[in-house]
Amino acid sequence: MSPRILLLGGTTEALRLARRLGPESIYSLAGLGRVPDDLPCQVRVGGFGGAEGLAAFIREQGIELLLDMTHPYAAQISANAAQAAALSGVACWALRRPGWQAGEGDDWREVDDWSGLVAALHNFRRPFFTLGREPLEHLHEIPPHQYWTVRCLTAQEAVPRAEIIGARGPFALDEERALFARLGTDVLISKNSGSQSTEPKLQVARELGLPVLLLRRPELPAVDREFLQPDALWEALERRLV
Ligand code: NAP
């Protein structure tokens, strides 16, 4: 008998795993991105109402195992998952995808938050933001000497000194090279997601000798089992399924 699993998703790895779950299990999304309609498991969309709400859902649905495969910067839902698992007495397993590591020729600088980022950007003119929607809230604060490019999931009209590109990975190396050239990028800004699908931009920055400002990873809670690779999680799951 397969355990009834609640899979908290929103990442490529989570979607891949959801394709292998049976109809007794549930794939959960916050609802910010695309909702797949071709999965063998059930799909639900939207928040639970904090850790208490998630714990209630786990109990009501008779969930036996909670899987946290959310984005490494989605700290709130990961904290809720650990707390809800403890409240409802089910195990929580998590994929904790390792971050990218700087190599030869990389000039990576870590920043703590938005204000640290703004300070670190001061001497640049053509920053390329690839860390989600946060820069969109600051378009009215663009310093006179800067022109911003913001790439996030959904496009939005350009403003006088910024271009907003709507795009979803994976991104091909050649296309990233062409984009950096067109934009005249002099600094790249990113989260350290560790995702292969968005890694080519780092290679382009390395080739061009550009600095990369990385937003520091949030602390994530300890859970019953943590996996660095999705395959290891799947193997552990298969052993449990038998
Ligand atoms: P979050 O701040 O950890 O979550 C906020 C709330 O959204 C949670 O408290 C929960 O609401 C709900 N939620 C999140 N994931 C859910 C899921 N799988 N199923 C049901 N509800 C869910 O996370 P976030 O708002 O998703 O993202 C935070 C950061 O991570 C952002 O910076 C974002 O850019 C990044 N992120 C990136 C990707 C990506 O693929 N690049 C994907 C996701 C997030 P309730 O408390 O009501 O349950």
Side-chain angles (χ1 to χ4, degrees):
M1 265 285 282
S2 308
R4 189 160 158 78
I5 290 170
L6 175 60
L7 168 56
L8 303 173
T11 56
T12 309
E13 296 94 328
L15 180 58
R16 217 173 281 145
L17 186 84
R19 296 196 182 287
R20 300 162 87 166
L21 296 179
E24 70 288 345
S25 291
I26 303 174
Y27 181 52
S28 173
L29 290 166
L32 305 172
R34 254 189 321 226
V35 179
D37 58 5
D38 59 348
L39 297 183
C41 63
Q42 301 166 46
V43 179
R44 68 163 298 286
V45 179
F48 297 94
E52 299 278 351
L54 179 52
F57 183 89
I58 289 170
R59 284 191 292 261
E60 280 157 21
Q61 296 288 328
I63 299 297
E64 296 165 284
L65 177 64
L66 180 61
L67 294 184
D68 175 11
M69 296 183 75
T70 58
H71 191 268
Y73 283 72
Q76 186 61 58
I77 188 71
S78 291
N80 291 354
Q83 201 184 331
L87 285 171
S88 55
V90 303
C92 181
W93 293 3
L95 179 70
R96 299 287 192 234
R97 190 204 280 159
W100 296 308
Q101 300 295 322
E104 180 91 23
D106 282 323
D107 175 5
W108 293 7
R109 307 169 193 180
E110 204 164 57
V111 293
D112 286 334
D113 51 23
W114 181 260
S115 62
L117 178 57
V118 169
L121 274 178
H122 184 72
N123 291 330
F124 297 97
R125 306 176 74 83
R126 305 283 302 205
F128 179 23
F129 293 87
T130 61
L131 42 54
R133 301 187 62 78
E134 193 168 6
L136 301 182
E137 295 161 24
H138 300 276
L139 294 177
H140 57 287
E141 298 163 15
I142 302 176
H145 66 286
Q146 289 183 351
Y147 182 93
W148 290 7
T149 303
V150 180
R151 182 167 69 189
C152 53
L153 288 180
T154 46
Q156 164 171 324
E157 268 184 44
V159 297
R161 274 180 299 109
E163 175 181 347
I164 296 120
I165 301 173
R168 177 185 297 273
F171 297 105
L173 183 58
D174 281 352
E175 287 167 22
E176 294 290 68
R177 283 192 186 115
L179 182 62
F180 275 62
R182 174 174 81 74
L183 298 174
T185 300
D186 59 2
V187 61
L188 173 68
I189 301 109
S190 179
K191 289 177 176 156
N192 188 349
S193 78
S195 164
Q196 277 180 357
S197 68
T198 54
E199 207 172 349
K201 64 188 175 187
L202 297 170
Q203 182 172 333
V204 180
R206 188 177 306 129
E207 289 170 1
L208 297 174
L210 300 181
V212 181
L213 302 182
L214 288 166
L215 200 61
R216 192 183 300 281
R217 283 187 154 214
E219 293 285 333
L220 298 176
V223 292
D224 297 286
R225 289 192 69 175
E226 297 186 2
F227 300 86
L228 299 180
Q229 302 297 337
D231 285 352
L233 191 154
W234 177 252
E235 279 164 28
L237 208 51
E238 278 197 317
R239 283 197 294 276
R240 210 184 133 115
L241 292 180
V242 181

